[in-house]
């Protein structure tokens, strides 16, 4: 179906759709939080579930202060002398570096504080500081700028490196990024993830314009130097050892040699907990360990400004392509194309995710679905309006051309481009005395007379599946078997000849106003006709021509000369009998010469009275 939308409306809709996608894209490029993020986290978790669990690198291990540790020690927080013992045992087990996800603020027992400081000084270690943000600060799209920071006891900070443990979570509370650097009041401060990686590798990786310089390569980061996290699996997927095991083992603990150890708290009711795609409650130390592991094995999700630009481009292209589809294609096809575009994009982002590229699935959906849906509704409104106009036009056309012919041409615009020969019955009916009557009653009354006459003829013809082919003043031509023939055409034509004559006489000729009508005559013949389009290329009509039409017309002259009301050719009588119409009594056939025709025609004639009686029998 051709679009009913004006090109100006389509152009305006496309501009609005592009602007809508552009606004959403600008928000996405800025990394600002938006309602789209909730849908994206759902799609992201689906991709993570599709990829499934992944083996973490062997370089990272987690030591946790869990419920058994606190039960055995008998207190929480653990005194710093016990923490010093744990740190020493981790060092003696061969760990290469240590990151402590615990806020060691304030002074406790001086000897215990000193013991912990000494333990940290003997070992490449980093201890946690925490950034404090005002509500609305610290979004993933910019370098976090905390209002304040909680720093460790100065004695401990002097013995080890200090770094921030904050992560960037989505609207559902799932950590999705770890900022690599924070813009604090005292200057830039690294994340504990970045500092731990530097201690483990022996070199602090420098920040570049869009990522981290790792060895000879560069790891791209998201806006504001945020590391997108790529989780390995549920809790304890990364090697996890209880601190109680560390305290109980007299010898170095197996599984820590040569590794970066993350030390944190997982005891019930203590420490931070996060929801992740694999685990409803994952300790914060495991989230941080995931970030360090991502840096070490290079498996962090790839999402940077370039990826975001691809997201925006896809959103704009899918929106405009989907809108163009529903604007120019049949509506069902266009809607399917728009849906296929979205599903294709979802397939693309799924395949990209298997290669750690985080393309946005929500942005093209939110950009295109409202725009395509709005244009679909708009087109439906225009389509309905156009269909109403077409129906009105077809109805109006049907008043000038037969409804059968109008529908046929509407269904098949090529109908009768080539002439077609077929069998049909042709009926002519006219009024005798019309000329004198029209002079007497005037033009307006003559028009009313003709309208009444034509109405009767049309009604009687359509009752018998006849088709009025032409109105000729006081004469009418009716075809039976046009545009498509059937075995009962002749029978219908013969029956209509008598009932039509009777109806005209009783409903029109007996009216006092039109007493000038002297008689009604009907002629019917059956034979071959040619259906074709006649006229100019830009102004045509469906015409029925051939000897059958000429003979039927001449039968009116025969009826007039013989003072008969109905003249039927022998051909139509025989065909009518075959179709089930029995004429009783049937007058004898007269062989009559037809003016302008070499062959005479056998004709049966009925007077007015005989025709009226025949009509009564046919109606019964």
């Amino acid at each position: 179906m051709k679009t009913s939308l004006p090109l100006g409306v389509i152009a305006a809709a496309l501009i609005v759709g592009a602007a809508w996608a552009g606004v959403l894209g600008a928000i996405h490029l800025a990394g600002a939080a938006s309602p789209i993020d909730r849908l994206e986290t759902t799609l992201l978790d689906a991709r993570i579930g599709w990829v499934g669990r992944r083996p973490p690198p062997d370089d990272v291990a987690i030591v946790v202060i869990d419920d058994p540790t606190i039960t055995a020690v008998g207190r929480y927080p653990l005194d710093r002398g016990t923490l010093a013992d744990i740190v020493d045992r981790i060092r003696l087990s061969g760990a290469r570096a240590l990151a402590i996800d615990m806020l060691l603020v304030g002074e406790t027992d001086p000897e215990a504080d000193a013991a912990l400081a000494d333990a940290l000084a003997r070992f490449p270690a980093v201890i946690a500081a925490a950034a404090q943000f005002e509500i609305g600060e610290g979004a993933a799209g910019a370098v976090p700028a905390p209002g304040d920071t909680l720093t460790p006891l100065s004695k401990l900070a002097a013995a080890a490196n200090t770094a921030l443990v904050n992560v960037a979570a989505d609207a559902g509370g799932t950590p999705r990024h770890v900022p690599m650097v924070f813009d604090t009041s005292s200057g830039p401060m690294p994340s504990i993830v970045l500092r731990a990686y530097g201690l483990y590798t022996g070199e602090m990786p420098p920040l570049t314009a869009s990522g981290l310089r790792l060895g000879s390569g560069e790891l791209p980061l998201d806006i504001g130097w945020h590391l997108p996290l790529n989780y390995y699996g549920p809790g304890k997927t990364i090697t996890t050892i209880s601190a109680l095991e560390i305290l109980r083992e007299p010898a170095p603990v197996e599984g820590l040699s040569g590794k970066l150890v993350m030390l944190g708290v997982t005891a019930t009711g203590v420490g931070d907990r996060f929801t992740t795609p694999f685990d409803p409650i994952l300790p914060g130390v495991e989230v941080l360990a995931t970030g360090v592991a991502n840096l070490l094995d290079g498996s962090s999700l790839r999402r940077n400004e370039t990826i975001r630009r691809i997201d925006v481009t896809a959103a704009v292209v899918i929106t405009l392509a989907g809108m163009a589809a529903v604007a120019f294609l049949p509506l069902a096809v266009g809607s399917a194309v728009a849906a296929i575009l979205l599903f294709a994009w979802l397939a693309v982002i799924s395949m990209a995710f298997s290669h750690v590229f985080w393309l946005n699935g929500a942005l093209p959906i939110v950009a295109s679905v409202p725009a395509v849906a709005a244009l679909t509704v708009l087109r439906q409104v225009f389509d309905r309006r156009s269909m109403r106009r077409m129906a009105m036009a077809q109805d109006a056309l049907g008043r000038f051309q037969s409804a059968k012919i109008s529908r046929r041409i509407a269904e098949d615009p090529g109908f009768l481009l080539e002439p077609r020969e077929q069998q049909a019955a042709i009926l002519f009916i006219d009024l005798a005395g019309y000329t004198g009557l029209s002079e007497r009653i005037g033009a307006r009354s003559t028009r009313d007379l003709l309208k009444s006459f034509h109405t009767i003829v049309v009604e009687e013809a359509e009752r018998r599946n006849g088709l009025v082919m032409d109105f000729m003043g006081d004469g009418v031509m009716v075809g039976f078997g046009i545009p498509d023939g059937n075995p009962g055409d002749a029978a219908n034509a013969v029956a209509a000849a008598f009932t039509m004559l009777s109806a005209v006489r009783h409903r029109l000729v007996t009216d006092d106003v039109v007493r000038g009508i002297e008689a009604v005559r009907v002629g019917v013949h059956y034979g071959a006709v040619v259906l074709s389009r006649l006229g100019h290329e830009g102004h045509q009509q469906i015409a029925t021509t051939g000897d059958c039409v000429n003979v039927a017309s001449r039968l009116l002259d025969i009826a007039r000369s013989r003072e008969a009301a109905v003249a039927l050719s022998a051909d139509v009588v025989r065909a009518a009998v075959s179709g089930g119409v029995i004429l009783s009594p049937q007058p004898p056939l007269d062989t009559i010469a037809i003016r302008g025709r070499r062959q005479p025609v056998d004709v049966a004639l009925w007077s007015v009275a005989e025709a009226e009686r025949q009509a009564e029998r046919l109606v019964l």
Side-chain angles (χ1 to χ4, degrees), residues 65-384:
I65 300 173
D66 52 9
D67 289 331
T69 303
I70 293 175
T71 300
V73 173
R75 58 168 293 182
Y76 186 84
L78 274 62
D79 68 85
R80 291 178 181 173
T82 304
L83 285 177
D85 192 14
I86 294 173
V87 170
D88 276 333
R89 289 174 181 265
I90 292 173
R91 176 178 58 83
L92 293 173
S93 297
R96 186 186 300 181
L98 174 67
I100 301 179
D101 180 24
M102 298 171 63
L103 289 177
L104 303 174
V105 298
E107 187 175 5
T108 63
D109 180 70
E111 291 185 5
D113 291 343
L116 180 56
D118 291 342
L120 292 172
R122 292 191 289 269
F123 193 30
V126 56
I127 55 178
Q132 295 180 312
F133 296 92
E134 297 293 334
I135 295 176
E137 292 183 338
V143 176
D148 198 3
T149 57
L150 293 175
T151 56
L153 180 67
S154 58
K155 183 184 296 185
L156 301 178
N161 296 277
T162 302
L164 293 170
V165 294
N166 299 75
V167 296
D170 61 25
T174 299
R176 299 294 181 182
H177 295 82
V178 175
M180 293 290 95
V181 65
F182 296 81
D183 185 14
T184 69
S185 58
S186 58
M189 190 172 187
S191 162
I192 195 171
V193 169
L194 182 60
R195 178 63 74 184
Y197 175 86
L199 292 175
Y200 181 76
T201 59
E203 181 181 0
M204 189 69 172
L207 293 172
T208 65
S210 59
L212 278 175
R213 181 72 63 189
L214 301 180
S216 60
E218 180 178 311
L219 177 69
L221 297 176
D222 206 350
I223 301 172
W225 291 295
H226 282 68
L227 175 74
L229 292 172
N230 191 4
Y231 290 94
Y232 296 96
K236 299 184 179 180
T237 297
I238 298 174
T239 301
T240 302
I241 300 172
S242 173
L244 181 59
E245 183 179 345
I246 300 287
L247 293 171
R248 285 179 175 176
E249 286 289 336
V253 179
E254 293 184 5
L256 299 182
S257 179
K259 295 186 177 183
L260 168 66
V261 175
M262 303 289 297
L263 174 61
V265 182
T266 63
T268 304
V270 181
D272 47 0
R273 299 285 190 279
F274 297 97
T275 299
T276 70
F278 291 103
D279 205 318
I281 301 176
L282 190 73
V285 66
E286 293 196 48
V287 174
L288 297 174
T290 298
V292 177
N294 284 173
L295 288 178
L296 289 170
D297 66 5
S299 69
S300 63
L301 295 179
R302 299 296 192 270
R303 191 188 204 192
N304 57 6
E305 187 173 353
T306 299
I307 297 295
R308 288 178 180 266
R309 290 187 182 278
I310 293 174
D311 296 336
V312 174
T313 301
V316 173
V317 170
I318 290 174
T319 299
L320 294 181
M323 294 179 71
V326 299
F328 293 106
L329 298 177
L331 199 52
V333 176
S335 300
V337 169
I340 289 171
L341 289 172
L342 282 178
F343 282 115
W345 177 248
L346 293 178
V348 168
I349 67 173
S350 297
M351 295 303 298
F353 191 81
S354 65
H355 295 85
V356 302
F357 289 100
W358 179 4
L359 293 169
N360 194 290
L363 182 62
I365 294 175
V366 176
S368 66
V369 170
V372 170
L375 187 58
T376 299
V377 172
L378 184 62
R379 177 168 175 183
Q380 287 177 330
V381 170
F382 273 84
D383 283 352
R384 289 189 182 126

Side-chain angles (χ1 to χ4, degrees), residues 433-469:
Y434 166 77
T435 302
L437 177 64
S438 63
E439 180 183 12
R440 179 168 60 84
I441 65 176
R444 184 176 295 276
S445 295
T446 299
R447 180 262 180 195
D448 294 339
L449 166 66
L450 288 178
K451 184 175 181 180
S452 299
F453 171 56
H454 293 159
T455 299
I456 295 169
V457 172
V458 171
E459 290 174 350
E460 292 298 322
E462 290 182 347
R463 284 180 54 213
R464 305 285 181 175
N465 293 321
L467 178 65
V468 174
M469 302 299 297

Side-chain angles (χ1 to χ4, degrees), residues 490-492 494-495 498 568 572-587 606 613-619:
N492 284 331
V494 169
F498 293 101
L568 304 180
V572 76
V573 171
R574 285 192 294 268
V577 171
S578 299
V581 170
I582 305 300
L583 298 175
S584 178
Q586 178 180 324
W606 280 261
R613 288 193 293 272
Q614 196 70 252
E616 291 177 1
R617 283 192 290 270
L618 289 172
V619 170

